């Protein structure tokens, strides 16, 4: 039985035959549960701050720029190191690197929980990203190594994807439950007992695996990968908030130059960090792009939808988290159907259809945000959750199947890089667009004091704090309307991007059916 991507005609030039497929047993499935718990926690940590933003913004006196950095520096740091860590895991052992990363993640969580300033919290979140970069590729590459049967591997990837997308959607609920009774630092403290459980379960259940012939690790390539990713991501964020200027252009040039040198070096090395020739295949590139756009839209939605529920609808943090639960449950429920959908439709059609479903969810959301009821919001969250869950499962399984088992870490890094870049760019770009539309929709603020006017312009969270006791309820109501209308416009922009990604997936990713995967 051949793998998903082999049926898509995306063979890796370095591909070797995998070992004969064998059915995974109870130990492998138990190990999968431990890995899914790990990725769920990391995904929760990526979005758990959404509900805590109003509280920590007030407590730490964070500016709007600092709020965005608190939200996305975690993903920036993670994305910049994923390629290096994925390849390092293939060399020193995936389980070993996973255990080291989990321990570091717990330590960084403690630092974040007791951050006295916004700058401290940003630094702690960056350390969390560094630790996360050692964990994420390891979880997925261990799955690639444990599940050699294509049908079982697709199901295992679906479980893993449910942990990633479900964890991202679960973050606001966890945050809401904690913030109902504790201070904002509790959203980090909760990581400590869970990471302890992860360390124990991984140590007991997960087998060690590595590339038996890893070749020489190239530090220069690792540095180039960081130099290519981080400046480009920073430039997008900087230009979105400050406009196109010299600093942004210099960052783009640095990132682009590093990327060119990186690609040329990978082509020349016998054992590259990643097989860049995979990206010459339109189907492979289209799959990665579809995954990135899906996560881009989803993360941007989560980051600002939680604030919308609290600041515009007036829900408490826990109430807001509970109202996001339909999206969480839907993204987890796709485990039941993802394998059969991919088997019946093929990867390309599955990606296209699921992205269109997600776009429809964003369209419903844009309409529902203009009304006072909740049913429309719930329907939108279900559509988005199902669409994202299936799309990410299909894309991840396709990328993993493109390489042999011994290169699973590098392949996992590609998949994870698209996920984390999607998260970071979604928060930065959609967040910035939302802020621009919000400020453009504000009423005349000339009657307010300078501090109050600055607070309202900075963000609705800061404005609510400033105007709540100042007898300016009319202006506060107008600011809430501006926030809601900005959410509607941003949701429609995200929907349009998803439609474009769906068309690309449908056109460039083949959809040969895989009847062998549909059996029980």
């Amino acid at each position: 039985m051949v793998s998903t991507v082999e049926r898509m005609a995306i063979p890796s030039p370095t591909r070797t035959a995998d070992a004969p497929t064998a059915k995974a047993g109870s130990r492998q499935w138990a190990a999968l549960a431990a890995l899914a718990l790990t990725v769920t926690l990391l995904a929760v940590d990526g979005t758990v701050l959404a509900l805590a933003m109003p509280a920590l913004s007030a407590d730490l006196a964070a500016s709007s720029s600092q709020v965005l950095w608190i939200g996305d520096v975690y993903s920036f740091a993670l994305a910049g190191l994923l390629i290096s860590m994925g390849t390092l895991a293939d060399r020193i052992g995936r389980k070993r690197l996973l255990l080291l990363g989990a321990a570091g993640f717990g330590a960084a969580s403690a630092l974040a929980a007791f951050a006295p300033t916004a700058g401290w919290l940003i630094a702690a979140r960056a350390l969390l990203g560094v630790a996360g970069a050692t964990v994420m590729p390891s979880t997925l590459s261990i799955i690639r190594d444990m599940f050699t049967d294509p049908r079982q591997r697709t199901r295992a990837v679906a479980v893993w994807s449910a942990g990633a997308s479900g964890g991202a959607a679960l973050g606001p609920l966890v945050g809401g439950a904690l913030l109902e009774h504790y201070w904002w630092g509790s959203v980090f403290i909760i990581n400590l007992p869970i990471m302890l459980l992860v360390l124990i379960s991984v140590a007991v259940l997960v087998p060690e695996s590595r590339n038996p012939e890893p070749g020489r690790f190239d530090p220069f390539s690792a540095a180039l990968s960081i130099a290519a990713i981080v400046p480009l991501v920073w430039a997008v964020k900087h230009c979105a908030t400050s406009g196109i200027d010299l600093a942004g252009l210099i960052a783009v040039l640095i990132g682009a130059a590093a990327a060119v040198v990186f690609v040329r070096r990978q082509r020349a090395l016998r054992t590259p960090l990643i097989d860049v020739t995979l990206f010459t295949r339109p189907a492979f590139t289209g799959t990665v792009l579809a995954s990135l756009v899906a996560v881009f839209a989803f993360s941007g939605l989560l980051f600002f939808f939680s604030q919308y529920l609290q600041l515009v609808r007036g829900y408490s943090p826990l109430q807001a988290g509970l109202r996001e639960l339909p999206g969480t449950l839907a993204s987890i429920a796709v485990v039941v159907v993802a394998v059969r959908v991919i088997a019946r439709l093929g990867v390309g059609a599955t990606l296209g259809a699921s992205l269109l479903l997600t776009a429809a969810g964003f369209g419903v959301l844009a309409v529902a945000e203009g009304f006072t009821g909740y049913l429309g919001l719930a329907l939108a969250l279900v559509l988005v959750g199902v669409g994202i869950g299936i799309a990410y499962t299909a894309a991840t399984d396709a990328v993993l199947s493109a390489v042999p088992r011994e290169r699973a870490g590098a392949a996992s890094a590609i998949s994870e890089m698209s996920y984390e870049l999607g998260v970071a760019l979604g928060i930065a770009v959609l967040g910035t667009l939302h802020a621009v539309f919000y400020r453009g929709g504000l009423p005349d603020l000339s009657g307010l004091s300078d501090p109050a006017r600055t607070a309202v312009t900075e963000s609705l969270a800061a404005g609510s704090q400033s105007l709540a006791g100042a007898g300016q309820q009319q202006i506060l109501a107008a600011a809430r309307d501006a926030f809601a209308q900005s959410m509607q416009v941003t949701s429609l922009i995200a929907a349009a991007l998803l439609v474009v990604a769906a068309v690309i997936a449908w056109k460039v990713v083949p959809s040969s059916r895989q009847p062998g995967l549909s059996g029980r």
Side-chain angles (χ1 to χ4, degrees):
M1 185 179 297
V2 292
S3 66
T4 303
V5 176
E6 287 173 319
R7 288 185 178 272
M8 292 166 54
I10 317 176
S12 167
T14 60
R15 184 170 180 84
T16 59
D18 283 345
T21 59
K23 296 288 186 181
S26 58
R27 183 178 181 85
Q28 284 79 16
W29 290 107
L32 175 64
L35 298 174
L37 176 63
T38 307
V39 74
T40 299
L41 177 60
L42 293 182
V44 165
D45 206 75
T47 59
V48 71
L49 280 186
L51 286 173
M53 279 300 179
L56 70 85
S57 296
D59 190 32
L60 301 179
S63 67
S64 61
S65 177
Q66 287 176 321
V67 167
L68 286 175
W69 273 112
I70 291 169
D72 60 27
V73 71
Y74 170 78
S75 295
F76 284 178
L78 208 164
L81 292 170
L82 276 171
I83 292 177
S84 302
M85 293 302 179
T87 305
L88 186 63
D90 287 337
R91 285 165 167 77
I92 72 170
R94 295 149 189 159
K95 177 180 177 179
R96 177 184 298 178
L97 192 62
L98 174 55
L99 291 173
L100 290 173
F105 196 88
S109 296
L111 291 175
F114 299 101
T117 65
W120 179 297
L121 182 56
I122 291 171
R125 291 277 289 169
L127 291 176
L128 282 168
V130 173
T134 68
V135 173
M136 291 293 270
S138 298
T139 59
L140 200 50
S141 56
I142 290 171
I143 290 173
R144 175 68 177 89
D145 185 77
M146 288 194 305
F147 295 90
T148 58
D149 176 73
R151 179 167 61 88
Q152 285 191 325
R153 183 173 63 240
T154 302
R155 183 167 289 116
V157 168
V159 172
W160 183 93
S161 298
S165 56
L170 192 63
L173 178 59
V174 173
L178 292 171
L179 293 169
E180 194 79 4
H181 304 287
Y182 307 104
W183 98 114
W184 59 264
S186 61
V187 301
F188 295 108
I189 289 294
I190 193 65
N191 292 346
L192 300 181
I194 298 176
M195 267 305 175
L196 179 61
L197 177 60
V198 166
L199 284 168
I200 295 172
S201 58
V202 168
V204 173
L205 295 171
V206 174
E208 182 60 281
S209 63
R210 59 172 58 87
N211 186 345
E213 299 178 0
R216 186 177 66 88
F217 183 78
D218 184 27
F220 184 53
S221 292
L224 284 172
S225 70
I226 297 172
I229 295 170
V230 175
L232 289 175
V233 175
W234 181 88
V236 170
K237 173 183 172 58
H238 175 76
C239 293
T241 55
S242 305
I244 299 176
D245 58 12
L246 182 60
L249 292 176
I250 291 175
V252 169
L253 291 175
I254 291 173
V260 170
V261 177
F262 176 80
V263 170
R264 290 181 175 176
R265 187 169 182 83
Q266 301 318 294
R267 287 179 176 272
L269 292 175
R270 292 185 59 186
T271 54
L273 287 186
I274 61 172
D275 183 3
V276 294
T277 60
L278 284 173
F279 288 96
T280 63
R281 312 277 179 164
F284 183 87
T285 303
T287 301
V288 173
L289 178 63
S291 173
L292 188 150
V293 172
V295 176
F296 173 94
F298 189 51
S299 61
L301 164 70
L302 286 176
F303 190 74
F304 292 95
F305 186 65
S306 297
Q307 297 181 56
Y308 164 81
L309 291 176
Q310 290 181 85
L311 300 173
V312 178
R313 291 293 180 105
Y315 296 128
S316 70
L318 179 58
Q319 289 172 334
L322 288 172
R323 280 161 177 78
E324 294 187 35
L325 193 56
T328 305
L329 297 177
S331 62
I332 294 174
V334 298
V335 173
V336 179
V337 300
V339 177
R340 293 183 179 277
V341 171
I342 296 170
R344 182 158 300 186
L345 299 181
V347 175
T350 298
L351 279 174
S354 58
L355 291 172
L356 286 178
L357 182 64
T358 308
F362 274 87
V364 172
L365 183 66
V367 175
E369 285 167 348
F371 296 92
T372 57
Y374 170 70
L375 185 60
L377 296 177
L379 174 61
L381 291 174
V382 169
L383 293 176
V384 170
V386 171
I388 291 292
I390 294 177
Y392 196 55
T393 297
T396 303
D397 185 49
V399 170
L400 273 188
S401 301
V403 299
R405 293 167 62 188
E406 61 268 17
R407 296 284 291 163
S412 301
I414 294 174
S415 177
E416 282 306 301
M417 186 174 65
S418 71
Y419 180 92
E420 296 304 331
L421 283 175
V423 170
L425 293 175
I427 293 174
V429 176
L430 292 182
T432 300
L433 287 175
H434 177 271
V436 169
F437 295 137
Y438 162 72
R439 289 165 186 158
L442 288 173
D444 181 14
L445 304 177
S446 58
L448 298 177
S449 64
D450 288 342
R453 185 166 57 251
T454 300
V456 174
T457 305
E458 192 75 26
S459 68
L460 181 57
S464 298
Q465 293 278 343
S466 178
L467 298 178
Q472 298 286 350
Q473 294 304 312
Q474 186 174 357
I475 292 180
L476 181 56
R480 287 170 176 162
D481 287 341
F483 191 97
Q485 292 171 10
S486 177
M487 282 285 295
Q488 290 176 295
V489 176
T490 306
S491 296
L492 291 176
I493 291 174
L497 291 173
L498 287 164
V499 170
V500 173
V503 172
I504 292 174
W506 224 309
K507 292 289 186 181
V508 306
V509 181
S511 298
S512 54
R513 296 184 179 183
Q514 303 175 57
L517 293 180
S518 61
R520 292 185 181 275

